Amino acid sequence: MRCLLCGKFSFKILCKDCLELIPLEPTCRDLQGFKVYGFFEYGSVDMLLHAKYSVVGSKIYASLAQLALKVLKTQLKVPYNAYSVGIDDKISKQGYAHNAIFLRALKQVGLHPMYKTLHASNSVSYAGKDLEFRKRNPRNFILKRAVKDKQIVLVDDIITSGLTLLEAKECLEANGAKVLHAFVLADASTK
Ligand SMILES: [Zn+2]
């Protein structure tokens, strides 16, 4: 196949040269004491993250997750012994759940994936909407699996306002879980 970015022949959807050019930029956002760790600046991967709406998206997400894991492995002194929960990891009409791909990659650092745990009952799009709109339209998560007494790391692809992650955290904690922090691929805050 050909590399999606440069068009050169490649065995993977993104060739090695292009992957190396994607800048890793570890970030940490503090949401009222809840830490959200990111790996890329949104501006450098937004085009790639939009691929979640296409069939090649699963491969692109796997490549980005792999890059993020490389960073994480060098920073972690001890692997986790906890669970990971993705935000609304329902299967899309493209046939996969993009957050499930990140969950699978995080197994490499000892996070046990709990697939299909948190589903949003309100999936209205937040794209281009302001904070007020987002507050008026919460995700209203439905818990699909028991989380009582589990230590959990939340996982999403992008953080913008952080409202969704906070809502997910509240839902899990109201059901007896301890939420440690969150991982996202990219931070889309406007700094
Ligand atoms: Zn390339």
Side-chain angles (χ1 to χ4, degrees), residues 7-182:
K8 275 193 299 208
F9 179 79
S10 164
F11 288 107
K12 297 217 164 132
I13 192 88
L14 300 174
C15 76
K16 210 166 154 270
D17 295 342
C18 286
L19 265 186
E20 275 171 13
L21 287 176
I22 299 173
L24 277 154
E25 192 181 289
T27 55
C28 176
R29 187 100 72 93
D30 193 324
L31 302 172
Q32 305 154 25
F34 181 56
K35 298 265 197 321
V36 180
Y37 300 98
F39 297 92
F40 303 96
E41 207 201 315
Y42 183 65
S44 52
V45 291
D46 56 342
M47 178 209 142
L48 294 173
L49 293 176
H50 271 99
K52 72 180 167 195
Y53 303 112
S54 76
V55 281
V56 292
S58 62
K59 291 185 176 139
I60 291 175
Y61 264 77
S63 298
L64 291 178
Q66 217 41 59
L67 281 178
L69 259 294
K70 231 191 241 178
V71 175
L72 200 53
K73 281 187 199 162
T74 62
Q75 292 182 347
L76 272 185
K77 291 182 182 75
V78 190
Y80 286 86
N81 186 10
Y83 295 86
S84 57
V85 167
I87 301 288
D88 201 22
D89 52 346
K90 284 198 274 282
I91 308 288
S92 70
K93 56 176 186 293
Q94 286 77 30
Y96 66 95
H98 57 275
N99 280 338
I101 294 168
F102 198 8
L103 289 191
R104 199 173 307 132
L106 285 164
K107 282 202 278 189
Q108 296 169 46
V109 290
L111 285 171
H112 314 293
M114 286 181 75
Y115 298 112
K116 298 178 182 172
T117 294
L118 266 185
H119 283 180
S121 62
N122 176 10
S123 51
V124 61
S125 173
Y126 283 174
K129 297 291 200 294
D130 62 13
L131 195 60
E132 277 314 305
F133 178 90
R134 291 164 190 238
K135 281 184 180 161
R136 280 198 312 273
N137 294 277
R139 289 285 173 230
N140 296 331
F141 286 110
I142 296 166
L143 196 65
K144 298 280 193 177
R145 293 175 68 174
V147 294
K148 198 173 179 329
D149 298 329
K150 288 195 160 73
Q151 303 216 73
I152 288 174
V153 172
L154 271 171
V155 175
D156 205 355
D157 56 345
I158 301 166
I159 178 173
T160 46
S161 67
L163 279 182
T164 300
L165 281 169
L166 282 177
E167 194 188 333
K169 174 181 183 277
E170 274 169 28
C171 174
L172 292 174
E173 288 183 341
N175 286 279
K178 179 169 169 38
V179 183
L180 304 173
H181 59 79

